[in-house]
Amino acid sequence: MSNELLVATVGLIGSLCGSVIGVVGSAKVLTYRVTQLEEKLKKQCENCSVMDGRVDKIEARQDVMEEKIKVANHRIENLEKKG
């Protein structure tokens, strides 16, 4: 085997190994970052469900207060008509 062929073969093997190592390393980093983003998203979704429950309670209380205001306004109108 000639020296040029040996150098070319070693260069090819080195290039292939470097490429494979780079791709595998990049895939590991990408997988890690996607996992971290999924965890953040999961936490935000949990917070959203808690907030949705609180908003529902506030809306229910608001409906009750609006109904009480309507009744009070109706009573005031009746008193004004009688007076």
Side-chain angles (χ1 to χ4, degrees), residues 23-82:
V23 168
V24 169
S26 176
K28 285 183 181 180
V29 169
L30 183 62
T31 303
Y32 173 76
R33 292 187 71 184
V34 168
T35 303
Q36 295 299 315
L37 288 172
E38 287 174 346
E39 289 176 12
K40 284 183 180 180
L41 183 61
K42 189 176 184 180
K43 287 179 184 177
Q44 286 181 348
C45 287
E46 289 171 359
N47 290 339
C48 288
S49 65
V50 169
M51 292 303 293
D52 285 344
R54 291 178 182 171
V55 169
D56 290 342
K57 288 180 183 177
I58 291 170
E59 288 176 346
R61 290 177 65 188
Q62 181 182 2
D63 291 340
V64 170
M65 294 303 291
E66 286 176 354
E67 187 62 33
K68 286 182 179 181
I69 290 170
K70 285 181 187 177
V71 169
N73 286 335
H74 184 68
R75 287 182 180 174
I76 291 170
E77 287 176 8
N78 285 341
L79 289 173
E80 288 174 346
K81 287 180 185 177
K82 288 182 182 178

Side-chain angles (χ1 to χ4, degrees), residues 3-15:
N3 287 338
E4 293 86 16
L5 187 58
L6 182 62
V7 169
T9 305
V10 171
L12 176 65
I13 292 171
S15 295

